[in-house]
Structures are given as C-alpha cells and as structure tokens.
Amino acid sequence: MLRRLQRWLFGQADRPAVTEEQWARVEAGLPFLAYLPADARSRLRTLALEFLDQKTFHGAHDLVLTDDILLSIALQACLPIYHTGLDAYRQWVGVVVYAGDFVIPREEMDEDGVVHEYDEPVLGEAWPDGPVVVSWQPQQRTDGLNVVIHEFAHKLDMCNGQADGFPPLPADMRRADWARIFTAAYDDFCHRVDHDLPHAIDAYAAENPAEFFAVMSEAFFEVPLRLRAAYPAAYAQLKRLYGLDPAAGANPHPTHDSNPQEH
C-alpha cells in the first residue's frame, strides 16, 4: 500500500483505501485513542487521511516511512485540530521524521555578549510557517509523553503568532478565562517544580508558557485522569478547545464537577 499511498500523495492516484485491519493495527500502537468515542475515532481517521493528502513527509537519514508510520503520525497530529479542523495547519506542508532523537545546532548569547554554539539533542521541533520535525518511537510510551502531539500543539499555538501558550480559541471560549486559568496553573506548576514538590506532568512544562501548553496537551490525551485531577479548570479549557473529553473514556465511573477550580 505504501507505493499507492505515495502516488496518491503526489497526485498520481486516487486516495488509497486503508483496511480496517490496518487501522486497528496502527491504533493499537496508540492506546490512548481508546479513550475516544467511536464517532470521534471515525472523524479522526478522516482527518488523518486529509492531513496526509495535504502534507509532504520526509524520512531523515534514509528512514523508510511505512504506511503504519505515516498513519500513526497523522492520527496523532490531528488530535490538536480535531475541533478546529485542518485549516489550522494550512500555512506549512513539511513533516520531517527521524529515527529516534536528533541534534539541532544552537547559538546562545551570554550576559557578556559572547555567543556560544552547541548541539542540543531533541525529540521534536516546530517552526512558524516551517516544517514539523519529530522522532519516530516504535514503542509507544505510557508515561504521558508524546512528541508528536507536543509538536503539533505548538503548531496550533503558532496559528496566531509565536508560540506563547495562548492558541486561537473557538468563538464560544473567552480569552480572559483561558489567560486566568492557565496562568494560575502555570504558576502553581512552576512553584511545584522549583520546590521539588509532586507534579502531575513532565517538568519540562516549567520552561515557559508555550511548553506548558504543549506538555499539558500531551497529558490531556495520554493521561487525562491525572491531568484532570491536578488541574481541573485547565482540563476543562482544553476539553473545549479540542472538542474531546478523554477523561470520560478513561474513567469507568465519571464524575461531573460543575465549577472546577485549580488546586
């Protein structure tokens, strides 16, 4: 199927059919998708195929991009735009995939004006109006970390400028509510990290508000019950932004909090 899929991506064939067996195999490698209702998973599959139709993939260092890899990345990439649609990704086309982590050259100027050059190993990178670069992890992690969701959450965040943790919001959401809730959650999280207190998500989220939003997005889909317990009001905002409620599917005995407050 890969050859047919590649011909389709380059406009040389009709869209190939993905068998139910293949969807099931790819989705089995993404166990958090089981938290979504059946109708949401069907829409996500449609979005994934449209995403593949619109984007150009490149395997770095001769990485062979199989059908399963392409479908897996597409399904995860479409989670952040499940509600808003693929127009949020319209300003760029490239997806570069590495096998494992990779190194990006950096420059940093110190307080004395001296520029230091160094290589930083990373798992992903996203640039405004540029490509998304991600590492391919054959084994799905189960600790709430997801580089694909992370980088595509950055892409959503960049739709209204530089990534700053304040993505474009649907018309029925209030910017003031988002700012108030996420500022409080970020301040609490940074306090916990700075004082070696227990924290619900990866400590990298304390780097800045943009990383906080991206890491929160990873946790929203991968470990929704943990995130909802730690930051219920922020979880509620993400639920409205993404149009999904993974915690409802992860929790066999859902509860309803009509007025959630952050811890």
Side-chain angles (χ1 to χ4, degrees):
M1 177 186 156
L2 179 59
R3 185 171 296 175
R4 289 192 297 118
L5 181 56
Q6 290 173 329
R7 290 204 305 269
W8 164 55
L9 294 177
F10 287 96
Q12 299 171 356
D14 294 333
R15 177 182 294 184
V18 180
T19 66
E20 183 62 33
E21 179 184 7
Q22 184 171 24
W23 281 123
R25 181 174 67 248
V26 172
E27 291 170 352
L30 305 170
F32 53 89
L33 294 183
Y35 301 152
L36 307 182
D39 59 343
R41 294 178 70 171
S42 176
R43 169 171 162 75
L44 187 64
R45 290 179 177 185
T46 299
L47 286 170
L49 291 177
E50 292 174 356
F51 177 85
L52 290 171
D53 192 19
Q54 296 177 14
K55 304 307 176 189
T56 299
F57 282 74
H58 172 72
H61 298 162
D62 298 322
L63 173 66
V64 176
L65 297 177
T66 66
D67 296 346
D68 284 13
I69 291 175
L70 293 172
L71 288 171
S72 178
I73 292 174
L75 285 166
Q76 295 172 85
C78 289
L79 286 170
I81 51 84
Y82 175 87
H83 183 47
T84 58
L86 282 167
D87 278 352
Y89 292 162
R90 67 183 181 278
Q91 297 298 331
W92 57 275
V93 296
V95 181
V96 181
V97 187
Y98 281 78
D101 58 357
F102 52 97
V103 173
I104 294 181
R106 305 286 196 195
E107 289 186 355
E108 185 175 285
M109 181 180 295
D110 64 24
E111 58 185 14
D112 296 323
V114 177
V115 176
H116 300 272
E117 298 181 353
Y118 62 98
D119 292 334
E120 181 181 11
V122 298
L123 292 175
E125 188 90 341
W127 293 281
D129 302 325
V132 176
V133 186
V134 296
S135 65
W136 171 247
Q137 307 292 333
Q139 299 298 321
Q140 176 64 37
R141 302 175 66 156
T142 58
D143 54 2
L145 303 180
N146 185 302
V147 65
V148 178
I149 295 174
H150 183 107
E151 297 306 329
F152 283 93
H154 278 320
K155 272 300 190 183
L156 178 62
D157 193 1
M158 293 172 182
C159 285
N160 54 4
Q162 293 291 328
D164 58 3
F166 207 132
L169 301 178
D172 62 348
M173 294 184 68
R174 298 178 65 246
R175 291 174 58 86
D177 290 343
W178 180 278
R180 172 178 53 82
I181 290 169
F182 267 81
T183 297
Y186 180 63
D187 289 346
D188 174 80
F189 184 76
C190 290
H191 172 80
R192 291 178 176 275
V193 171
D194 290 344
H195 293 82
D196 293 324
L197 298 173
H199 45 275
I201 59 176
D202 184 25
Y204 185 63
E207 286 288 308
N208 55 57
E211 298 299 346
F212 184 68
F213 168 67
V215 175
M216 290 281 276
S217 297
E218 296 175 70
F220 177 81
F221 290 108
E222 289 235 343
V223 287
L225 293 176
R226 185 197 307 172
L227 182 65
R228 189 179 66 178
Y231 296 108
Y235 180 91
Q237 289 289 300
L238 290 170
K239 182 172 72 171
R240 295 179 66 183
L241 174 67
Y242 292 140
L244 294 166
D245 186 6
N251 188 356
H253 304 292
T255 58
H256 300 280
D257 188 344
S258 61
N259 186 28
Q261 298 294 324
E262 298 298 359
H263 291 181

